[in-house]
Amino acid sequence: MEKKHYTRDDMAGLLRAHDINPTHQRIEIAYALFSRQAHLSADQIMAIVNDRHSETSKATVYNTLNLFRQHKLVREVIVDPSKVFYDPNTGPHHHFYNMQSGELIDINENDVQILGTPTLPDGMVAEGAEVIIRIRPQNP
Amino acid sequence: MEKKHYTRDDMAGLLRAHDINPTHQRIEIAYALFSRQAHLSADQIMAIVNDRHSETSKATVYNTLNLFRQHKLVREVIVDPSKVFYDPNTGPHHHFYNMQSGELIDINENDVQILGTPTLPDGMVAEGAEVIIRIRPQNP
DNA sequence: CCAATGTTTGGACTTTGTCTAATTTAATAC
DNA sequence: GTATTAAATTAGACAAAGTCCAAACATTGG
């Protein structure tokens, strides 16, 4: 995964490419996620975006992240019972979850694969398959 | 998975086997989960247990489920951002998650396997690896 | 019976996320 | 440009899941 240096203009283009009207708030939120290439919670994103001046409200952060997800610009990662993480990498890959620190770490696509395609219940389609490996420090 | 007909006495034994003092509330909560062999949320468990007479408080339900988890009597399944499911089956198996209904369905251990053992970050141990396949009705 | 330890409880509290109605901003037509 | 309409943002009230705490209750051993 090459480290691209994103600008806010890049974000505008990216949003347009996903049929999203690039408003100021949306650009800032996208920039927070993509410039870091990190797994962030809504909380963290809001803190980052409003760090210097107040740029967005809580409602907009949630609205926007849901919009991004619908347009497949980001992916939700659900590993922590108390908060959702947003992942700017929508390509196929899996995650380690550090249960102690709450940190999410990518697993390279080639390092882990799902073997076997189980028959889905009737009339159902698979929306995505993911592997989560929960890890923790050896000597607690 | 054979369908055993559990009694409350069985639960007491099961709890003792896991070094848990079998109190009335704990037996009822274990019975709710094991007699149904289902994936239930804390909410649902509380509703079941208190169906006829009030048997336990909310605090006890949460305390008890956490206790069960610590003693590896049940497993947490985290797929829904808004609630945790408790699974009485602690053996190796994976899940379908019906995004529309919120229903969890077991995938037989043999139908899906994780291929490859990625190197863990330094000083870390894997606590568990699970596959989640999100599914939804074909024609929405 | 008493003390000590373990368990349960109500209720206040926290956190994440949603909802709504009002306001602001942007876009379009004229 | 100005009016009209549509889209986006906002504050703040609200909801739901889960935690916390100090008080009450139960159980056990001596």
Side-chain angles (χ1 to χ4, degrees):
Chain A
M1 201 111 294
E2 78 285 10
K3 181 142 263 168
K4 187 156 181 247
H5 187 66
Y6 288 108
T7 66
R8 282 172 171 78
D9 268 7
D10 293 335
M11 290 304 103
L14 186 62
L15 291 176
R16 267 187 285 262
H18 286 259
D19 286 313
I20 297 170
N21 193 2
T23 65
H24 174 61
Q25 287 86 342
R26 288 170 182 173
I27 288 171
E28 288 303 315
I29 290 171
Y31 185 72
L33 268 166
F34 283 88
S35 71
R36 276 155 239 263
Q37 299 263 90
H39 309 90
L40 300 173
S41 66
D43 246 37
Q44 293 175 307
I45 291 168
M46 185 160 163
I48 290 168
V49 169
N50 289 337
D51 183 37
R52 304 187 149 275
H53 332 80
S54 179
E55 309 265 14
T56 61
S57 66
K58 188 170 65 147
T60 298
V61 171
Y62 282 99
N63 286 344
T64 301
L65 289 171
N66 281 325
L67 186 74
F68 285 3
R69 177 181 39 102
Q70 282 158 29
H71 290 249
K72 303 202 191 294
L73 184 59
V74 302
R75 187 218 270 196
E76 277 184 347
V77 184
I78 299 167
V79 280
D80 183 313
S82 75
K83 66 186 74 165
V84 173
F85 287 101
Y86 293 87
D87 189 346
N89 177 0
T90 54
H93 70 286
H94 303 289
H95 294 106
F96 287 122
Y97 179 59
N98 185 330
M99 298 167 79
Q100 181 161 279
S101 69
E103 194 193 4
L104 264 178
I105 304 161
D106 281 350
I107 303 177
N108 192 294
E109 183 192 352
N110 306 314
D111 284 358
V112 166
Q113 274 176 3
I114 295 176
L115 183 66
T117 321
T119 344
L120 304 190
D122 249 20
M124 293 281 159
V125 212
E127 185 68 9
E130 60 182 317
V131 177
I132 290 161
I133 300 180
R134 279 161 219 279
I135 61 177
R136 69 151 117 209
Q138 198 147 24
N139 296 319
Chain B
M1 200 115 292
E2 79 285 9
K3 182 143 262 168
K4 186 157 181 246
H5 186 65
Y6 288 107
T7 66
R8 282 171 172 80
D9 267 7
D10 292 336
M11 291 303 103
L14 188 61
L15 292 176
R16 267 187 286 260
H18 284 259
D19 286 313
I20 298 170
N21 192 2
T23 66
H24 175 61
Q25 286 86 343
R26 288 169 183 172
I27 289 172
E28 288 303 316
I29 290 170
Y31 185 71
L33 269 166
F34 283 88
S35 70
R36 275 155 238 262
Q37 299 264 88
H39 309 90
L40 300 173
S41 67
D43 247 37
Q44 294 174 308
I45 291 168
M46 186 161 162
I48 290 168
V49 169
N50 289 337
D51 183 37
R52 303 188 149 274
H53 331 81
S54 180
E55 309 265 14
T56 60
S57 66
K58 187 169 66 147
T60 298
V61 171
Y62 281 99
N63 286 344
T64 300
L65 289 171
N66 281 324
L67 187 74
F68 285 3
R69 177 182 39 99
Q70 282 159 29
H71 289 248
K72 303 201 190 296
L73 184 59
V74 302
R75 188 217 270 196
E76 277 184 348
V77 184
I78 298 167
V79 280
D80 183 314
S82 75
K83 66 185 74 167
V84 174
F85 287 101
Y86 292 89
D87 189 344
N89 178 0
T90 54
H93 70 286
H94 304 291
H95 294 106
F96 288 122
Y97 179 59
N98 184 330
M99 299 167 78
Q100 181 162 279
S101 68
E103 193 192 4
L104 263 179
I105 303 162
D106 281 349
I107 302 178
N108 192 294
E109 184 192 351
N110 306 312
D111 284 358
V112 166
Q113 274 175 4
I114 297 177
L115 183 65
T117 321
T119 345
L120 305 190
D122 250 19
M124 293 282 161
V125 211
E127 186 68 9
E130 59 182 317
V131 177
I132 291 160
I133 300 180
R134 278 160 220 279
I135 61 177
R136 69 150 122 208
Q138 197 147 25
N139 296 317

